[in-house]
Amino acid sequence: MTALLEAHNLRKAFGHVVAVDDVSLEVERGEVVCLIGRSGSGKSTVLRCLNHLDPPDEGWVAVEDEILGYERRGGRLRQLPARTLARQRRQIGMVFQQFNLFPYLTATENVIEAPIGVLRRNRAEQVERAHELLHRVGLSHRIDAYPGQLSGGEQQRVAIARALAMQPKVMLFDEPTSALDPELVREVLEVMQQLAEDGMTMVVVTHEMRFAREVGSRVVYLDGGRIVEQGTAEEVLTAPQEERTQRFLSRML
């Protein structure tokens, strides 16, 4: 079976600094893959390469065997127009560390902005859909609130609903709780756990080891821009084989 999301030999450098070095990854439909590692290990850059926010210098990413930004022709990859890449990227939802909500729009308006502005969907239908999504993330009572009236956890949950509004095939989360006060972390992780239970395919950069252990189908440890070790959550978090993984987990756990 073809993986839903596949990354092949990704490499990304910023000047002389190689942030991602020969990373390959396959994510099956319904999997929750957690990327762990110390700060600066390349986790977030891998995530940004997966949806071409940072296009890889080498290698490629495919969703359901469709390569992002390229097409195979005569055994070679030919670059596609930017508008085609933009269409392809709609299949991948992204939730960032910072919430990036429009401060002058309500929660509902933030959720409907892309489906109406990008996909040209019917406004009334999208408002109804937005209310369903806000209910799904526990914010039925905040549909008309502005970001400044919401807690950090509530803003992040609106950001998750906004990403879901585009009906992505896979969701990417870049340390979604790192900007939150400790008491607000749980409410965001609970929403993510529910998404996983509903079958959403997810790649999550996280320092929340408990979430990785309880929700992750697979855990991938990166160091120096390379995959050092990967396996089930139990294999990696309970009995890591590599010394670098062991050192990292001894500090985290």
Side-chain angles (χ1 to χ4, degrees):
M1 182 176 63
T2 302
L4 176 61
L5 177 68
E6 181 179 1
H8 180 75
N9 298 132
L10 298 182
R11 186 181 190 277
K12 182 67 180 180
F14 299 97
H16 296 296
V17 178
V18 179
V20 175
D21 188 10
D22 196 27
V23 167
S24 294
L25 190 65
E26 291 188 358
V27 183
E28 302 293 346
R29 192 179 306 275
E31 264 199 306
V32 178
V33 176
C34 293
L35 306 184
I36 65 170
R38 60 185 178 82
S39 296
S41 61
K43 307 181 303 295
S44 294
T45 305
V46 168
L47 211 68
R48 293 173 67 87
C49 285
L50 291 179
N51 72 349
H52 272 238
L53 279 177
D54 286 329
D57 300 324
E58 298 176 15
W60 48 262
V61 177
V63 178
E64 291 187 328
D65 210 31
E66 181 183 18
I67 297 177
L68 300 187
Y70 299 90
E71 66 174 354
R72 290 189 179 97
R73 179 176 293 183
R76 292 188 166 188
L77 295 180
R78 186 180 72 87
Q79 190 166 3
L80 294 172
R83 64 180 181 277
T84 303
L85 173 60
R87 174 189 59 78
Q88 293 174 321
R89 287 176 60 200
R90 295 172 196 163
Q91 304 173 89
I92 304 174
M94 183 85 174
V95 177
F96 300 89
Q97 297 178 30
Q98 301 299 327
F99 323 123
N100 297 324
L101 300 178
F102 294 111
Y104 52 85
L105 299 180
T106 66
T108 297
E109 291 167 339
N110 266 282
V111 174
I112 67 175
E113 177 73 11
I116 293 176
V118 176
L119 302 181
R120 306 300 181 189
R121 298 283 168 78
N122 176 272
R123 181 180 177 86
E125 292 176 357
Q126 291 310 304
V127 168
E128 182 178 355
R129 168 73 172 155
H131 291 171
E132 292 173 357
L133 290 171
L134 290 168
H135 173 73
R136 186 176 180 183
V137 299
L139 291 174
S140 295
H141 61 303
R142 306 295 267 161
I143 60 174
D144 294 321
Y146 289 89
Q149 300 170 316
L150 301 173
S151 70
E154 289 173 332
Q155 290 186 62
Q156 191 62 295
R157 284 184 281 158
V158 173
I160 293 172
R162 178 181 59 184
L164 291 172
M166 295 295 282
Q167 298 180 298
K169 294 177 179 177
V170 58
M171 288 277 286
L172 309 180
F173 293 84
D174 188 7
E175 299 193 46
T177 60
S178 65
L180 301 177
D181 294 332
E183 65 270 19
L184 301 177
V185 168
R186 177 184 291 266
E187 63 190 50
V188 173
L189 293 181
E190 286 176 349
V191 168
M192 294 171 62
Q193 182 166 358
Q194 186 60 57
L195 289 178
E197 291 173 0
D198 292 343
M200 174 60 72
T201 306
M202 299 159 60
V203 182
V204 184
V205 171
T206 184
H207 288 294
E208 300 289 340
M209 294 299 110
R210 183 174 179 180
F211 175 86
R213 183 188 301 274
E214 295 179 356
V215 182
S217 316
R218 188 151 42 97
V219 172
V220 179
Y221 173 68
L222 290 101
D223 190 34
R226 299 179 68 93
I227 293 177
V228 174
E229 186 168 358
Q230 64 177 306
T232 67
E234 174 134 4
E235 289 170 345
V236 175
L237 298 179
T238 303
Q241 300 300 303
E242 299 293 331
E243 184 180 351
R244 279 182 287 176
T245 316
Q246 294 167 5
R247 288 200 305 266
F248 170 76
L249 290 174
S250 70
R251 294 193 298 268
M252 294 299 294
L253 301 176

